[in-house]
Amino acid sequence: MACPHVSAVTALLKSVHPHWSPAMIKSAIVTTASVTDRFGMPIQADGVPRKLADPFDFGGGHMNPDKAADPGLVYDVDAMEYNNFSNCTMGWVDGCQSYQQLLNLNLPSIAVPDLKNQVSVWRTITNVGPVEATYRADVEAPAGVAVSVEPSVITFTAGGDKSMTFKLTFTAKQRVQGGYTFGSLTWSDQSVYSVRIPIAIRTVIEDFVADTS
């Protein structure tokens, strides 16, 4: 049942913002979604036994069309970046160090499937809210992982750049062949906007050891 709901919200956002790219619309939906249910409680995953849902169950969370229409910030990706990523992951071109993994594609989520020691990931946010705004990073670190954000405060000014790039560094605090643990990064102006993306990290010791959990 998710597809018709998402399609309807996408059509709504396109009518409100006809010049937004598909990636901007997706970002607005994901980053403004709620991770609590209608009672204000954490979302529960279906199945037996019951468990708290994680981003692999609900993605960004429950959509909020009103907030998605005015998200404050978006993560945009143009068609050429998708094309370059596809060509590089398929091995059709050379010189693709930055596209060898999904890590740096500017998606409104971050997944690191093979964290051994430390890895850095870059993202770019675009201001679609008030021209002058300051956002601060709030990180919910996945269990067993230290996370840093540089810069941790981003300011947009009239006449300045509408897009800013930041770096997240993930450092494994435990040497285990583990399953995925989850967290989030939220950019907040401490007032109206709260722009949240999910994070999924899996620590590994050896690449060839399968995780069947």
Side-chain angles (χ1 to χ4, degrees):
M1 288 297 295
C3 182
H5 291 84
V6 175
S7 298
V9 172
T10 299
L12 172 67
L13 294 180
K14 190 65 175 177
S15 68
V16 175
H17 302 286
H19 301 298
W20 276 13
S21 68
M24 293 170 75
I25 292 175
K26 175 182 177 180
S27 173
I29 292 173
V30 171
T31 59
T32 58
S34 172
V35 294
T36 57
D37 62 21
R38 60 194 177 96
F39 302 109
M41 301 297 291
I43 299 173
Q44 295 282 322
D46 292 333
V48 178
R50 301 282 286 183
K51 74 176 184 74
L52 288 178
D54 57 51
F56 287 170
D57 298 307
F58 55 59
H62 286 308
M63 293 184 301
N64 186 323
D66 289 336
K67 288 186 177 181
D70 184 22
L73 303 172
V74 293
Y75 294 76
D76 194 15
V77 186
D78 62 30
M80 184 58 68
E81 190 171 355
Y82 280 120
N83 186 63
N84 290 342
F85 175 77
S86 176
N87 289 340
C88 288
T89 53
M90 296 299 291
W92 293 335
V93 293
D94 296 324
C96 296
Q97 287 80 6
S98 64
Y99 285 99
Q100 288 180 351
Q101 300 181 21
L102 197 64
L103 301 185
N104 291 325
L105 189 62
N106 202 45
L107 299 174
S109 61
I110 296 173
V112 181
D114 55 357
L115 179 63
K116 290 183 178 179
N117 295 299
Q118 185 179 91
V119 67
S120 293
V121 178
W122 282 261
R123 287 290 186 273
T124 299
I125 46 179
T126 300
N127 183 20
V128 294
V131 174
E132 296 189 353
T134 296
Y135 290 86
R136 289 174 171 78
D138 181 18
V139 176
E140 179 189 347
V145 179
V147 184
S148 65
V149 184
E150 299 176 25
S152 60
V153 177
I154 289 179
T155 299
F156 297 95
T157 59
D161 291 335
K162 293 185 65 177
S163 296
M164 297 283 186
T165 298
F166 61 91
K167 179 177 74 170
L168 295 100
T169 300
F170 301 97
T171 304
K173 296 194 297 183
Q174 55 186 6
R175 295 286 293 166
V176 297
Q177 191 77 15
Y180 279 92
T181 57
F182 304 95
S184 65
L185 167 67
T186 303
W187 288 101
S188 173
D189 68 346
Q190 311 297 312
S191 176
V192 177
Y193 300 106
S194 183
V195 185
R196 180 186 184 277
I197 62 172
I199 296 172
I201 307 290
R202 176 176 178 263
T203 58
V204 300
I205 299 174
E206 299 292 345
D207 293 334
F208 59 82
V209 178
D211 176 19
T212 58
S213 62

